[in-house]
Amino acid sequence: MSQLGVEDVFVDVVSPGYQADAYPDDIESEEARHLELSPESIPSVDRLRELKVHLAEFDLRFAGIHSLHYGMYGNIMFDRPGREQQLEAITTLLERLGDAGIDTLGYQWNPRGVVPMRTEFEASVRGGATATRWDESDLGEIETPPGELERTYTEAECWENYEAFLEAALPVAEEAGVRMALHPADPPVYEEIGGVPRLFRNVAGFERAMSTVPSDAHGLKLCLGCFSEMGEDIPGVIRTFGDDIVFVHFRDVVETVPEFTETFLDEGNFDQFEAVEALQEVGFDGPLLLDHVPELEGDTEWRHRSRAYGAGYLRCLVDGVRRS
């Protein structure tokens, strides 16, 4: 990563006993450097600093934890037993991140076990590379209520639970000097699936999230791919949220919900150069992250070849806009 010119690293977590949002390579290796996180096991300040020092050896900054997994917030989302334990775990994590000098905590607010994130994982794109695809017509029957949930929920209930979470967590984040960054529902657009509302499906949902408990410690993990899936004007979305953008997932798709395919940065729905121009216009100077990328011939599970291509492409975009 350092050789490619990467500057910031967001760490994904390993979550024994819980379904995580990422599966790091080789986590069984005794030499693997990974970060465990569950309501019962919060990384110590020393452990966070250890990883920070390790990254700094390669001139990389430990920019934050990429995302909380569902096992850290599911009971809060649905106001179930275990809510207080999860809330205490998140606030403890915020405090320890602040003590370690790590300033960002990304988080999702999506239920698990409702629908798969994609309906196909080897769709063919340029040159026979493979990528993920969503096609609503390929969904089977959806349980109502889905997965481990015992009942359906109203949108009003879900907003009430979410706002109570912000009221408890954001003062701790402010005190710790950590910004929380919210990611969209993916796939977006759907008001509910299986009787479970998807609050962060559109621009209006994010506007409410940013305004309902105003705080400088709250912002967006602005996933351009998700807003592209919605069919939104991407430079317009960037200008709408401006100072609320904490960091950016830079990816794109072809077409929009109910049917889209992820693809290379130079082949998607929106003009990538115009997006970076809009980020410069609003004064954004935070991290740009690659998100999902196609798999190239001979690639690894983490898609190192494709990520190297994407990192170079992003550096050229940023340099080009700075010089324009």
Side-chain angles (χ1 to χ4, degrees), residues 23 55 66-67 77 129 169 198 229 241 249 261 275 295 301 314:
Y23 301 89
L55 290 168
H66 186 243
S67 191
M77 171 182 280
R198 297 169 76 82
E229 293 161 19
F241 291 109
H249 273 178
T261 304
E295 182 174 352
E301 183 179 359
L314 276 180

Side-chain angles (χ1 to χ4, degrees), residues 8-29:
D8 297 308
V9 171
F10 282 82
V11 175
D12 267 318
V13 296
V14 178
S15 50
Y18 293 89
Q19 181 179 7
D21 295 311
Y23 301 89
D25 291 343
D26 197 26
I27 65 172
E28 299 301 327
S29 167

